[in-house]
Amino acid sequence: ELLRPLLRGEAVTAWRLRPTSTAIVWTHASTGLPLATLPSAAARWLAPWRRRLAARSDLHGTRVWWSLFRTEGATASHPRVVWSDFGRAPRAAVIPSGDPTVPLNSCYVLACPDVEDALALAAVLNSRLAAAWLNAIAEPARGGWHRYLGWTMSLLPVPTDWPRARKILAPIAERAICDSAPADVELLDAVCRAFRLK
């Protein structure tokens, strides 16, 4: 009952998450706080690692030894846009609300108020326009790859008339998620219209 699907950055593709069989032992309650006690089977399974887990500097002596850190991105109460921190171009997908997937720190996550916001933002991030902007400012890596860190993504402008942009972009992203991805030119045209660019 404590296992949740695990997401690594390399499993994020434009529009979708690659299927995975990897999981993480999720030792936190729905409130986000660590469980007060572990179920007996989980406690037995984690026992060989107790000393190493208890010695982590992040614990600061104030948390139980099975605490996980930086768990905000795993909150499933809202739809989330997730992207890989590393690539030749940004790759974004939507994790629907209620999905228990836990993104690791090779992913960045943005919780959205509703699914239309998440779909529209994913469309922007998967576009050539976003790639051109972000690749101009992103930290370079070997082989023409870039790091799409939080500070980098925070500099990406979004359309000023967001309700209008959502109407243009969310349906495209929804179709893409259902195996009808737009051609690059079609997505670029839609994103340019959302930004009111020619």
Side-chain angles (χ1 to χ4, degrees):
E1 76 240 29
L2 297 187
L3 293 181
R4 287 179 63 178
L6 189 66
L7 177 64
R8 290 186 168 90
E10 61 265 19
V12 180
T13 65
W15 312 116
R16 308 186 83 135
L17 306 177
R18 285 192 196 112
T20 180
S21 60
T22 53
I24 188 169
V25 178
W26 188 253
T27 57
H28 288 236
S30 58
T31 61
L33 297 172
L35 295 170
T37 58
L38 286 175
S40 58
R44 279 194 310 277
W45 194 83
L46 288 173
W49 293 282
R50 181 176 182 158
R51 176 175 276 157
R52 286 178 63 188
L53 291 170
R56 293 173 295 164
S57 61
D58 286 356
L59 269 179
H60 304 296
T62 60
R63 293 183 174 185
V64 292
W65 60 269
W66 55 80
S67 294
L68 297 171
F69 305 108
R70 294 170 288 283
T71 59
E72 300 83 12
T75 303
S77 57
H78 290 88
R80 296 168 282 166
V81 176
V82 62
W83 65 90
S84 175
D85 71 344
F86 188 69
R88 292 185 186 272
R91 307 181 311 272
V94 174
I95 302 175
S97 61
D99 185 316
T101 298
V102 177
L104 286 185
N105 61 359
S106 56
C107 303
Y108 280 85
V109 181
L110 181 65
C112 294
D114 61 47
V115 71
E116 281 195 355
D117 282 325
L119 291 167
L121 182 59
V124 170
L125 294 179
N126 286 323
S127 72
R128 286 184 185 177
L129 186 64
W133 176 278
L134 292 167
N135 287 351
I137 61 172
E139 289 182 20
R142 279 190 289 169
W145 291 61
H146 297 87
R147 301 289 312 274
Y148 302 109
L149 307 174
W151 72 264
T152 308
M153 301 303 265
S154 72
L155 297 175
L156 178 68
V158 293
T160 53
D161 187 350
W162 187 246
R164 177 181 173 274
R166 280 175 24 142
K167 287 180 184 172
I168 295 169
L169 300 174
I172 292 171
E174 192 167 29
R175 285 194 311 270
I177 290 169
C178 296
D179 284 334
S180 184
D184 285 346
V185 172
E186 179 189 352
L187 180 59
L188 177 61
D189 178 64
V191 171
C192 285
R193 279 189 292 120
F195 276 98
R196 296 186 189 273
L197 297 173
K198 292 184 180 176

